[in-house]
Amino acid sequence: MINAFLVFNGQGQPRLTKFYTQLDTSIQQRLISEIFTLVSNRPPGSCNFLPLPPLLAASGTSHSASEPHNDVPSLVTYRHYATLHFIIISTSTESPLALIDIIQVYVEALDRLFENVCELDLIFNFETLHATLGEMIVGGVVIETSTDRIVAGVRAQGAVAKRPVNEGRSTGLGAGFQGMGGNFVWHGR
Amino acid sequence: MFVNTAPELRFEKSLYDLIRGLRNHKGNEKEYIQNCLKECRAEVRSQDMDVKATALLKLVYLEMVGHDMSWASFHVLEVMSSPKYHQKRVGYLTAVQTFRPDTEVLMLATNLIKKDLSATAPTIIALPISALPHIITPSLALSVLADLLPRLSHSHPVIRKKTIVTLYRMALVYPETLRAAWPKIKDRLMDKSEEPSVTAAIVNVVCELGWRRPHDFLPLAPRLFELLVDGGNNWMAIKLIKLFATLTPLEPRLVRKLLPPLTDLIKTTPAMSLLYECVNGIIQGGILGEAGEFSEREEIASLCVSKLRGMISINSDPNLKYVALLAFNKIVVTHPFLVAQQEDVILECIDSEDITIRIKALDLVQGMVSSDNLVSIVSRLMRQLKTSSSSLEQQNGDQDANAGTDSSDETGAVRRRKAKSKDQPPPLPDDYAVDVIGRILHMCSHDNYSSLLDFEWYLDVLTQLVRIAPAPRTKDMDADASSSVPRHLVSDISEKIGNEIRNIAVKVKAMRPAAIQATELIITRLFRLSSESASARLVAAGALKPVSYLAGEYPFELSSADDMLGQLLHLLPKVDSPEILATSMQAAIKLFAYVAGDDRARWTAERKASLSLLMARIIHVLEPLALHPYLEVQERAVEFNELLKLTAEAASGQAPSTDDLHQDPPLLLTQAIPSLFAGWELNSVALGAQKNVPIPAGLDLDEPIHPNLAMLLSQADSLMLPAQEEDEFEAYYNEKPPATSLSSATEPAILRLADAPEEVSSSYQQPGEESYLDADILARRKAERMERNRDDPFYIGGSRSDGTSTPIHNILQKENGPDLDIDAIPIMKLDLGAVPGTRPEKPVSRPKPRQKLVVAADESLGGSGPSTPGQYDSENNSDNNKSRAARKFKQSLLQVDSSTLGRLDLDAASDRLEGAYDPEKQRQEEDEMAKAMKEVQRLRLEMQRANERIQVAHGVPVEGIVVKKKKKAKKTQVEGAEEGEGVAKAKKKKTKKAAVDEGGGATAGEGVAPVKTKKKVKRIAPLDEAGEANS
């Protein structure tokens, strides 16, 4: 199952945090900053999986354990879009490649909801972020993977606010979301 | 609609304002946030539900950034109970984000959740359903289950999906849920007219449940198979394959069914994720199985492995590399030979830039190491470590030159690394380096060194490792890194390397001289480093501990015991860790005993003088240590100090022998001190051997040593403590010169110092040992090789022919000392089985049967034959281990424990399922629960009132206590009847003085705005109305 879904920007500021277990705020922050350190140090062209951050590695199984326990969060998947990092922490029962697709679905859904989404949209509409995630994942289990149905589900809860007009779009933020669909070959859908 | 951005005439900030404010206050966000928090604290108590909800929204936003809001949990509850959807949603969102296991108000939410579950609007029903997984507790699950179950057949598919998942999460904390819910979920799954997305969600849940209780899902196999074949949904297919992988071990007949569709998928699917999961499923499901049973199996095995190989070797996509390594990691457990065939591509991954891939490859390599590939694998790893440590040194050099900034600042270091030129591979993080070193040690030493053929090579590797091992972090660091595990590892690794050298010296007698040589190299290097650099630097290498032990234990192997003693004495005052200090002090005294204790040598004036000097020097070193705060160090220092003083006296009293008068050296020197250390040779002892020592018959461990031990101890404490404390204090300041303590905060003593100059890279050939071993180690190695081959008639020597003594030979002989004994160099030992208790060595047909070394097994007692720690553990400690492991798992962060699921006996109950779930019983339980809730509420109110009374008693002006009765339609009557004025809530005016936080946020006990004299009315809304309990 999925243990946490996180979004933060290039400076490590959280934009969305969703932990599917109850965790102290301070520990949440530590985990986020540990993962951020890992993410920001990735050389270009590396894979979308992170080694376990120290907090999780310490409490989980050791590296050498060949048979990881299925309950223990053992996989940290991330994806990078424009200024944002999307992170999924999950157990070994999830399929790694499918998780990468899940992030893609989430971003596509947001893109549909906000029409050419950018970080600002996420900053000012974080309730919508939660609502969208809530249509995809409940309690750490994926319930929907079709963008259409996710978008419809969010819209059914009410209209989605547009980004404030006077806030202006910083250039290029949205560009990363465009055309990201095609560059991974293993679409699960 | 989510955020109320419409400009309204009100003074409170909206979330939008808050975020804008945050963005406009770059630099002093902290202050701004504090102000906002203060405002929110006031607003959240407002009567106006809109204001309340907005305040909560702001708070939950700030919580995301790290500002705790557990104090507002009661207000969260209030907003959850709002009739307006958009407010209610804010309430639920806040609850999901901020409720913690210890949030008390959760008990009050039960009825609210029950009510919302039975609402008509699907959007409202969805709120509690999605929130429940985050806040569920067994008691909440118990009371909510009856309301949640009917939602499984809700007309809206979204509600059905979410309900299924929520039921699963409930089952995790309250397994009985499954008993009631499973039949219904199964019906849903079987229902072919069910919405496909709901079916997919069910499959997801079943997959999660599946690995815990695979037996329950075997009957479903036909339906699942059907879904796999004509589901057409790749996401679901992935999960189904994962599920089947857990089922096939239980039902081998499934394999025959599954193989055709899986091979079909592998050959046809365009989705790489599905392809991978098919391969993975085949592996995990044990379908690879015993070859030959089905002819297809061999075919499919080669198909899978070739696909995986393709994934690794195609260097386009790192993700595929990673997952392929994951899959190989699973195969290696059952089919090591299949993985070993792929050694070439896997080894490539060890050098990948990507640490994630590297680690996975390392995991794999560890599983497939053998005596054939050990050297090549370790060489690869060593090369990595060497290059990274040398580039790190360079950097440290830069840093020192620049400003000498604090290099322990990790992020800073990282940035600097990034800024560095790209032509060099980036230095590895310390954690990784430690991990790699640990693996090297493990690979070489596992199974009592069975894969290791060339011990001399290993010793050289170890010597090199000591140099490049990351230094332990300094004390400053572990103060803020409270999870000390990584730090612990770092500080340990150097010692572990040293331990390996010690193990070899002790266990492999033939290698002892070589090991001692390595020891000398290490200590000499430490000595050089510490004397070269400013005297302030501390010696932090943990390797010193085992290595100095060796020097003390086998002084006769040393090339010069005198030099070694001098170096140790020089190092002693600079040793940081008390454990290392205690061991190396002991070693120094042993060395002294060896140097001084020769009773055949004449007691000349010269000898007398040099020994007195030596003793004076030792006493000088030991004296300050007698005040060391660490008891072990203190005790040894005091003991040796006194002993040496006595000896020194005796020595000075003994006149030297002259030509005509023969004098014996003092007996204290030649007899007493050496006898302290002479005895049986120490051998390695198995880890658990101590436990096998039989307890003597007369010994009763439960009998108290002294009838009134506690009293004695407390007396001793009270007597000793003051003096002791003073000593400690004094010792602390005496021991560390001020300059020392400053520089101890810097770092890697070893890493800072430039190594021997970078060797000329041998570019014209494959990088050999010279690429990872330092020049001096190499030189030694070369010399050894020559020495070894001297008597080999087939070896064509370089510049030297047998027998004749060339200049090089002379130099060698000179350097190694006059007492070089060729016979001591191991050539062959053919005493197979002659030594009892040794394990059989490798077959002779090895490609490199150069040495046949006897590795002594660990000694043990009682057991049959030599017992290795592993065996011992499995025999005696398995229960212990298991429970320890279980505890470890429980502690894991973020983990959702599903172990309770496995315990529930679903099958046995399946025939009486309906009976087991008894609505009548449920109702009764609910009534009891409602009663208990009321009691809890009453007690809470009482406590609050008592609290307030205390405040009043403390002298808070009592003016203006307002008692407000809160009426809430019919519910109040019920409440009122039972609790008297329970609903009424006394509320007093606040003054600044009364700013006592009453905790839980339930009462507004804080001076929010001191100037405000407005009377605030506190409302304790009875959220879980008793009247609704049975609706």
Side-chain angles (χ1 to χ4, degrees):
Chain A
M1 66 178 288
I2 293 169
N3 299 86
F5 194 107
L6 310 170
V7 180
F8 48 70
N9 71 0
Q11 283 84 50
Q13 291 167 316
R15 294 294 175 227
L16 168 77
T17 59
K18 183 71 98 183
F19 291 90
Y20 293 100
T21 39
Q22 298 178 336
L23 216 60
D24 260 359
T25 310
S26 57
I27 298 180
Q28 291 181 358
Q29 294 298 319
R30 251 177 69 197
L31 193 60
I32 291 172
S33 73
E34 279 184 3
I35 293 179
F36 172 70
T37 325
L38 288 175
V39 166
S40 57
N41 281 324
R42 301 291 284 167
S46 43
C47 68
N48 290 32
F49 306 97
L50 294 176
L52 281 184
L55 257 183
L56 291 180
S59 52
T61 51
S62 66
H63 289 307
S64 50
S66 53
E67 198 69 30
H69 196 267
N70 275 345
D71 270 345
V72 181
S74 58
L75 193 62
V76 184
T77 313
Y78 78 101
R79 231 179 143 165
H80 178 85
Y81 291 93
T83 55
L84 294 169
H85 299 288
F86 291 74
I87 316 288
I88 293 183
I89 304 174
S90 67
T91 63
S92 58
T93 52
E94 296 292 331
S95 163
L97 297 180
L99 286 175
I100 298 179
D101 284 346
I102 291 270
I103 299 178
Q104 172 77 15
V105 170
Y106 183 61
V107 174
E108 273 173 19
L110 288 178
D111 197 42
R112 288 266 290 278
L113 285 165
F114 289 111
E115 287 157 31
N116 198 359
V117 68
C118 72
E119 188 184 346
L120 274 179
D121 293 318
L122 309 195
I123 297 174
F124 285 104
N125 294 297
F126 91 119
E127 236 195 320
T128 313
L129 287 190
H130 279 289
T132 313
L133 189 59
E135 291 299 309
M136 279 177 67
I137 303 172
V138 170
V141 179
V142 178
I143 56 162
E144 186 54 78
T145 47
S146 134
T147 323
D148 290 335
R149 274 194 288 260
I150 294 167
V151 170
V154 178
R155 292 215 169 112
Q157 299 175 25
V160 174
K162 286 311 298 167
R163 90 181 61 89
V165 268
N166 52 346
E167 202 62 37
R169 166 191 300 276
S170 31
T171 46
L173 275 186
F177 293 100
Q178 302 301 310
M180 281 302 276
N183 57 355
F184 281 93
V185 269
W186 56 77
H187 279 300
R189 289 146 299 132
Chain B
M1 60 111 223
F2 293 115
V3 187
N4 196 357
T5 47
E8 280 177 44
L9 280 181
R10 65 156 65 122
F11 300 106
E12 295 87 13
K13 288 193 193 87
S14 66
L15 175 66
Y16 171 68
D17 295 330
L18 171 85
I19 297 170
R20 265 187 61 157
L22 263 178
R23 292 164 67 81
N24 291 336
H25 284 76
K26 289 249 159 68
N28 55 345
E29 279 126 334
K30 253 198 187 130
E31 197 185 329
Y32 180 77
I33 288 178
Q34 285 311 320
N35 278 332
C36 289
L37 280 174
K38 215 180 262 174
E39 284 167 20
C40 288
R41 268 179 191 269
E43 284 163 28
V44 91
R45 297 198 180 93
S46 156
Q47 287 276 40
D48 185 344
M49 203 48 113
D50 267 327
V51 176
K52 232 187 221 309
T54 312
L56 272 193
L57 203 54
K58 288 191 279 184
L59 282 173
V60 77
Y61 187 87
L62 292 176
E63 199 268 346
M64 177 171 74
V65 195
H67 298 272
D68 179 61
M69 61 167 291
S70 53
W71 52 271
S73 54
F74 191 80
H75 304 289
V76 174
L77 222 53
E78 286 177 321
V79 177
M80 278 166 78
S81 67
S82 158
K84 287 188 189 147
Y85 172 70
H86 68 270
Q87 292 168 353
K88 194 185 265 302
R89 198 175 59 169
V90 172
Y92 272 105
L93 173 63
T94 325
V96 163
Q97 293 297 95
T98 67
F99 277 13
R100 307 282 178 254
D102 55 348
T103 304
E104 290 165 0
V105 293
L106 196 56
M107 299 176 78
L108 308 177
T110 312
N111 279 319
L112 172 67
I113 291 172
K114 287 163 80 81
K115 195 178 113 194
D116 285 342
L117 276 176
S118 32
T120 42
T123 43
I124 292 194
I125 302 178
L127 288 179
I129 293 183
S130 319
L132 272 172
H134 296 262
I135 58 175
I136 197 74
T137 61
S139 66
L140 186 59
L142 175 70
S143 39
V144 165
L145 181 57
D147 302 84
L148 190 58
L149 274 179
R151 297 284 88 87
L152 264 183
S153 39
H154 195 274
S155 58
H156 216 289
V158 175
I159 302 292
R160 293 201 296 271
K161 277 190 290 193
K162 294 184 175 175
T163 307
I164 286 160
V165 174
T166 304
L167 282 170
Y168 160 68
R169 288 299 298 263
M170 273 168 72
L172 290 182
V173 296
Y174 179 61
E176 288 296 313
T177 308
L178 219 51
R179 207 185 293 281
W182 177 239
K184 301 195 174 183
I185 297 180
K186 200 161 76 181
D187 290 348
R188 289 268 138 234
L189 181 63
M190 295 305 192
D191 188 353
K192 287 182 185 159
S193 56
E194 179 57 280
E195 185 98 2
S197 72
V198 181
T199 313
I202 298 175
V203 168
N204 279 351
V205 167
V206 168
C207 180
E208 290 295 331
L209 287 170
W211 66 267
R212 271 288 178 199
R213 354 181 9 102
H215 282 285
D216 295 335
F217 299 97
L218 274 180
L220 295 181
R223 168 67 178 157
L224 294 174
F225 188 75
E226 190 183 305
L227 285 172
L228 176 65
V229 176
D230 16 83
N233 178 346
N234 285 351
W235 299 93
M236 191 166 75
I238 288 174
K239 286 289 183 178
L240 283 171
I241 292 168
K242 277 193 169 287
L243 182 60
F244 274 122
T246 59
L247 295 186
T248 41
L250 298 173
E251 181 51 273
R253 279 175 298 174
L254 267 176
V255 174
R256 202 191 289 269
K257 280 289 266 175
L258 276 172
L259 276 182
L262 285 186
T263 23
D264 211 38
L265 275 174
I266 289 179
K267 281 172 184 156
T268 59
T269 182
M272 191 61 93
S273 54
L274 185 55
L275 168 66
Y276 168 70
E277 287 305 334
C278 285
V279 173
N280 199 23
I282 288 173
I283 295 161
Q284 272 195 297
I287 298 179
L288 287 182
E290 310 78 42
E293 197 175 326
F294 304 106
S295 59
E296 313 107 89
R297 275 196 179 175
E298 285 186 47
E299 189 190 327
I300 199 138
S302 64
L303 182 63
C304 287
V305 173
S306 69
K307 288 272 174 194
L308 287 178
R309 189 188 164 88
M311 284 180 173
I312 289 190
S313 46
I314 292 173
N315 34 21
S316 60
D317 197 328
N319 288 330
L320 294 184
K321 252 184 203 177
Y322 175 81
V323 291
L325 286 172
L326 271 187
F328 272 133
N329 260 318
K330 282 168 191 152
I331 303 183
V332 80
V333 182
T334 49
H335 300 77
F337 58 96
L338 281 181
V339 181
Q341 289 163 8
Q342 321 302 325
E343 194 185 315
D344 48 341
V345 278
I346 292 167
L347 284 182
E348 284 306 314
C349 292
I350 288 184
D351 285 332
S352 162
E353 269 194 8
D354 190 339
I355 284 218
T356 328
I357 290 181
R358 270 194 198 184
I359 291 178
K360 281 295 160 218
L362 273 181
D363 280 341
L364 195 51
V365 159
Q366 222 177 346
M368 56 188 232
V369 74
S370 72
S371 50
D372 295 331
N373 56 18
L374 177 76
V375 173
S376 72
I377 290 174
V378 172
S379 315
R380 237 172 222 273
L381 295 176
M382 289 295 295
R383 219 166 291 137
Q384 250 178 45
L385 289 170
K386 180 86 193 298
T387 48
S388 101
S389 81
S390 62
S391 66
L392 199 71
E393 264 163 32
Q394 252 182 10
Q395 237 164 45
N396 284 336
D398 296 351
Q399 256 165 257
D400 282 352
N402 286 344
T405 46
D406 187 5
S407 64
S408 60
D409 174 16
E410 222 165 325
T411 50
V414 163
R415 245 165 244 143
R416 253 170 268 128
R417 279 172 209 181
K418 281 200 144 179
K420 264 193 77 81
S421 56
K422 288 266 176 348
D423 57 327
Q424 219 170 20
L428 308 165
D430 277 1
D431 288 348
Y432 174 77
V434 168
D435 188 35
V436 170
I437 295 176
R439 284 168 201 268
I440 292 179
L441 298 186
H442 176 96
M443 281 189 271
C444 294
S445 68
H446 88 105
D447 201 12
N448 212 11
Y449 301 98
S450 61
S451 315
L452 193 64
L453 293 178
D454 187 348
F455 277 91
E456 278 164 27
W457 166 82
Y458 186 42
L459 280 171
D460 290 339
V461 166
L462 289 174
T463 319
Q464 181 68 44
L465 279 180
V466 170
R467 297 185 188 185
I468 54 185
R473 310 242 174 101
T474 45
K475 294 255 159 82
D476 299 356
M477 285 294 286
D478 66 359
D480 52 47
S482 52
S483 74
S484 60
V485 179
R487 198 205 77 82
H488 180 66
L489 285 178
V490 170
S491 64
D492 252 357
I493 198 70
S494 176
E495 188 179 334
K496 274 191 196 146
I497 303 165
N499 283 344
E500 280 300 308
I501 300 183
R502 188 197 57 200
N503 285 354
I504 291 179
V506 173
K507 287 182 140 192
V508 194
K509 278 206 181 115
M511 290 310 294
R512 199 167 285 163
I516 301 297
Q517 270 181 35
T519 299
E520 278 185 287
L521 265 183
I522 292 169
I523 293 185
T524 313
R525 185 163 181 278
L526 280 176
F527 168 73
R528 216 181 55 228
L529 293 184
S530 73
S531 51
E532 268 171 15
S533 59
S535 59
R537 190 154 292 147
L538 288 179
V539 177
L544 184 58
K545 185 181 166 190
V547 154
S548 65
Y549 163 81
L550 277 186
E553 189 68 18
Y554 307 111
F556 38 87
E557 305 277 9
L558 289 169
S559 58
S560 162
D562 285 307
D563 290 352
M564 178 59 75
L565 178 58
Q567 289 169 357
L568 268 184
L569 285 178
H570 177 89
L571 288 174
L572 270 182
K574 300 183 180 184
V575 171
D576 192 18
S577 132
E579 285 94 357
I580 302 177
L581 191 54
T583 311
S584 34
M585 194 193 324
Q586 182 98 5
I589 302 299
K590 280 180 177 171
L591 274 172
F592 170 76
Y594 174 75
V595 168
D598 188 359
D599 55 350
R600 269 162 303 183
R602 276 165 54 88
W603 183 244
T604 58
E606 195 187 344
R607 188 174 174 207
K608 180 181 167 180
S610 71
L611 278 184
S612 324
L613 264 176
L614 187 56
M615 281 188 279
R617 186 170 171 211
I618 297 177
I619 291 172
H620 175 75
V621 170
L622 292 188
E623 204 128 52
L625 295 178
L627 296 171
H628 198 278
Y630 189 75
L631 203 61
E632 188 80 8
V633 175
Q634 196 191 69
E635 191 190 347
R636 290 185 190 187
V638 169
E639 265 179 305
F640 295 140
N641 221 350
E642 293 308 315
L643 187 62
L644 283 178
K645 277 180 186 164
L646 267 180
T647 317
E649 235 169 72
S652 67
Q654 191 88 324
S657 51
T658 52
D659 285 338
D660 31 277
L661 180 67
H662 178 81
Q663 283 278 10
D664 277 334
L667 280 181
L668 215 47
L669 208 55
T670 55
Q671 298 291 318
I673 294 185
S675 73
L676 286 180
F677 305 113
W680 296 103
E681 187 170 327
L682 295 176
N683 286 328
S684 59
V685 174
L687 198 58
Q690 182 79 43
K691 281 196 180 158
N692 290 349
V693 177
I695 299 175
L699 183 66
D700 181 8
L701 287 175
D702 294 330
E703 186 191 344
I705 298 171
H706 186 274
N708 205 348
L709 187 64
M711 208 258 299
L712 268 185
L713 284 178
S714 68
Q715 261 182 355
D717 273 355
S718 61
L719 284 175
M720 294 297 290
L721 213 53
Q724 178 77 13
E725 254 171 9
E726 219 172 26
D727 279 356
E728 224 171 297
F729 191 70
E730 206 180 313
Y732 180 79
Y733 283 101
N734 283 343
E735 200 199 355
K736 287 189 185 173
T740 303
S741 62
L742 247 182
S743 75
S744 73
T746 57
E747 32 76 74
I750 301 185
L751 295 185
R752 281 206 163 195
L753 291 138
D755 241 342
E758 289 288 301
E759 75 290 332
V760 224
S761 66
S762 44
S763 55
Y764 54 90
Q765 60 176 35
Q766 285 281 65
E769 281 161 356
E770 53 273 14
S771 63
Y772 60 88
L773 292 178
D774 275 349
D776 54 337
I777 303 181
L778 276 174
R780 186 172 78 98
R781 193 157 172 65
K782 219 175 262 170
E784 265 168 17
R785 215 174 282 149
M786 279 174 136
E787 201 55 59
R788 188 169 55 232
N789 292 325
R790 222 174 58 128
D791 296 333
D792 188 346
F794 301 109
Y795 182 78
I796 302 168
S799 55
R800 172 176 66 88
S801 58
D802 283 349
T804 54
S805 192
T806 62
I808 293 180
H809 183 63
N810 283 339
I811 293 168
L812 273 177
Q813 231 172 9
K814 238 179 236 164
E815 287 213 332
N816 289 347
D819 54 350
L820 178 75
D821 181 9
I822 309 292
D823 296 333
I825 295 167
I827 300 163
M828 275 272 194
K829 268 195 184 173
L830 284 171
D831 53 347
L832 266 179
V835 182
T838 51
R839 56 186 62 236
E841 269 296 321
K842 299 267 129 205
V844 200
S845 63
R846 285 282 163 205
K848 282 206 295 180
R850 213 172 42 72
Q851 294 171 316
K852 186 115 307 205
L853 296 173
V854 177
V855 183
D858 290 333
E859 291 186 345
S860 188
L861 260 181
S864 53
S867 85
T868 63
Q871 284 170 342
Y872 182 83
D873 270 351
S874 64
E875 277 164 21
N876 298 315
N877 284 346
S878 58
D879 289 347
N880 225 348
N881 278 347
K882 251 181 236 158
S883 67
R884 208 180 308 135
R887 225 179 306 130
K888 202 169 146 208
F889 286 135
K890 236 166 225 154
Q891 286 163 356
S892 176
L893 209 64
L894 275 179
Q895 177 188 332
V896 180
D897 185 27
S898 64
S899 56
T900 48
L901 270 186
R903 271 178 247 136
L904 179 69
D905 190 9
L906 203 60
D907 263 350
S910 61
D911 44 358
R912 50 176 179 93
L913 258 176
E914 290 314 311
Y917 173 62
D918 184 357
E920 206 37 56
K921 205 175 151 204
Q922 174 91 354
R923 186 129 311 155
Q924 275 176 13
E925 280 166 353
E926 257 170 59
D927 285 348
E928 276 167 32
M929 187 54 95
K931 263 185 213 151
M933 289 296 216
K934 263 185 242 161
E935 183 67 14
V936 168
Q937 228 178 335
R938 196 177 57 80
L939 286 174
R940 278 184 64 89
L941 270 173
E942 265 176 20
M943 271 164 62
Q944 269 170 15
R945 251 180 258 130
N947 237 337
E948 276 156 25
R949 253 179 257 128
I950 290 169
Q951 269 196 345
V952 173
H954 273 250
V956 179
V958 206
E959 17 130 16
I961 288 189
V962 175
V963 178
K964 167 123 189 180
K965 288 220 169 178
K966 181 79 196 164
K967 304 233 170 188
K968 262 204 143 191
K970 52 164 189 174
K971 302 144 196 168
T972 322
Q973 292 163 1
V974 186
E975 292 277 336
E978 293 198 23
E979 303 181 15
E981 8 88 283
V983 204
K985 177 75 186 73
K987 184 68 208 161
K988 68 182 167 303
K989 219 178 113 180
K990 285 173 299 279
T991 65
K992 211 174 174 183
K993 251 178 158 182
V996 179
D997 198 351
E998 292 181 1
T1003 49
E1006 282 189 28
V1008 174
V1011 208
K1012 250 197 236 170
T1013 48
K1014 198 179 80 186
K1015 285 161 192 162
K1016 286 208 170 172
V1017 179
K1018 177 83 177 103
R1019 187 177 73 105
I1020 298 272
L1023 284 167
D1024 55 341
E1025 296 86 0
E1028 303 244 320
N1030 292 329
S1031 65

